[in-house]
Amino acid sequence: MALAGCATTDVFGDDDTTTEYTLDIDSIDVSPTAYALYDPDEDALFGDPARTALEAILPDGRHTTHGYKPLPDDAYVRHQDAYFQTKHVVTGRDRLARSLVRVERVPEEDVSDDTILIDTLERPSARVLKILHSYTQSDGRGSAAELLYGDSYVLRRPAERDSQLGTGTLDGRVVTMTENGTWAYRIAITTERIVETAYTVFSVQVASSRQAFRDVVFGSRIDAELASDDLPADVVDLLEQTIDRRSTEETAPLTDSFVTLLEALHLRTVNTGVNGKLLWYDGSLYRYGLYVNDPP
């Protein structure tokens, strides 16, 4: 990538500010194609629905779930010698019977010896109760609210429906988040018919060879391609120092080298922060991000 001269520091604000810019760069020790391919989790909670969906859709099938997507959107997967990308579409709504889990706070003085410690439960049940705990403690203002149906968690995934919550064995029991009995909740499980969105997932072939897939990955996932021969020497030094140290920080007014590096990484318009970007530099893959901190 050729750069036409060095940028000036006023691109990133007035020279008299004290805004801090932190650039993080971490090495990724696999090829871009391997990094781009989706591999389901090993566990039953998320992994089993993903594997079931992949088996159904590759190479040209369809798979429908209600209330949740079994696969990430736009994930790249391999089937035999071809490469595909997953796609979800909404194909309707259906009213289904679902188990809903709610919790009610129990005062610490009312916690008895037969309460259940959260860490003794299997993952599907423990995860649901931790989400409800977070929702309750934040009075519904936290991010956990996005996972709930009103104030209830809906058991949708097979591992959830087969869990202790799904079978109803925890209905009416008290669970505590700590060994000393703080943050205790009584569990209530009901069966209700609710309207669930139907998601249908399918796959689209994007490449028929590894080389063709590499071009797809570079066109869709790599955010910056840089070569040391195309960068000014001072920028190469700064980039390689950042890679070695995994991070570098400057306070405005920024040096010309830092500004030029940020522009080469397409970070010129970042005002607060960005993460998870991918860099291909001299034959190696890196993940990078920029954090902008304005002093109070």
Side-chain angles (χ1 to χ4, degrees):
M1 173 180 176
L3 297 175
C6 291
T8 57
T9 57
D10 60 9
V11 170
F12 293 94
D14 297 332
D15 287 352
D16 60 353
T17 69
T18 55
T19 302
E20 296 176 346
Y21 295 80
T22 302
L23 176 65
D24 291 343
I25 303 180
D26 294 310
S27 177
I28 299 175
D29 296 327
V30 297
S31 69
T33 53
Y35 186 75
L37 285 172
Y38 169 69
D39 187 22
D41 291 342
E42 293 293 332
D43 70 344
L45 180 57
F46 293 100
D48 283 358
R51 282 183 285 272
T52 298
L54 288 174
E55 184 177 350
I57 69 174
L58 294 173
D60 55 6
R62 299 287 188 271
H63 181 72
T64 299
T65 52
H66 289 83
Y68 72 98
K69 298 177 181 180
L71 294 168
D73 287 320
D74 297 328
Y76 290 125
V77 293
R78 181 179 180 181
H79 179 70
Q80 297 179 353
D81 294 327
Y83 297 84
F84 300 79
Q85 189 171 35
T86 62
K87 299 292 182 181
H88 287 92
V89 292
V90 173
T91 52
R93 298 192 306 168
D94 294 289
R95 186 173 294 276
L96 302 172
R98 294 295 199 195
S99 294
L100 276 63
V101 183
R102 300 178 178 87
V103 295
E104 180 185 0
R105 299 187 197 206
V106 176
E108 189 172 347
E109 60 271 18
D110 294 339
V111 174
S112 61
D113 294 337
D114 64 346
T115 57
I116 302 171
L117 181 62
I118 187 73
D119 292 337
T120 65
L121 296 174
E122 86 282 43
R123 185 189 177 202
S125 293
R127 174 180 173 273
V128 170
L129 295 172
K130 287 177 181 178
I131 290 171
L132 289 168
H133 162 66
S134 177
Y135 172 82
T136 303
Q137 289 300 313
S138 66
D139 292 326
R141 292 189 294 269
S143 59
E146 299 175 2
L147 302 173
L148 300 181
Y149 178 81
D151 63 350
S152 305
Y153 187 96
V154 182
L155 303 181
R156 297 183 172 104
R157 296 175 180 273
E160 293 173 339
R161 298 199 300 268
D162 293 338
S163 70
Q164 291 169 286
L165 287 174
T167 59
T169 58
L170 295 180
D171 187 29
R173 298 293 303 273
V174 175
V175 64
T176 179
M177 300 293 116
T178 65
E179 292 185 356
N180 60 10
T182 55
W183 295 324
Y185 303 94
R186 188 174 304 280
I187 302 167
I189 305 171
T190 59
T191 299
E192 302 177 26
R193 294 185 65 83
I194 63 174
V195 175
E196 292 276 66
T197 299
Y199 296 101
T200 296
V201 61
F202 58 96
S203 63
V204 176
Q205 184 171 334
V206 296
S208 57
S209 69
R210 182 178 177 83
Q211 181 58 46
F213 180 58
R214 187 180 188 276
D215 291 339
V216 169
V217 171
F218 271 73
S220 63
R221 298 288 172 86
I222 303 301
D223 298 286
E225 294 182 62
L226 302 178
S228 55
D229 291 343
D230 297 330
L231 295 169
D234 58 326
V235 177
V236 171
D237 289 342
L238 178 59
L239 174 56
E240 295 186 353
Q241 287 175 10
T242 305
I243 290 172
D244 289 341
R245 300 171 183 172
R246 300 179 61 184
S247 183
T248 192
E249 180 180 299
E250 285 198 11
T251 301
L254 305 177
T255 64
D256 286 345
S257 298
F258 193 70
V259 170
T260 303
L261 177 56
L262 294 183
E263 290 195 324
L265 294 172
H266 308 298
L267 298 175
R268 174 172 180 166
T269 59
V270 174
N271 295 318
T272 56
V274 64
N275 195 16
K277 297 287 188 178
L278 293 180
L279 163 68
W280 182 247
Y281 173 65
D282 277 359
S284 295
L285 184 64
Y286 302 90
R287 180 174 48 249
Y288 67 94
L290 177 68
Y291 304 90
V292 183
N293 181 34
D294 290 315

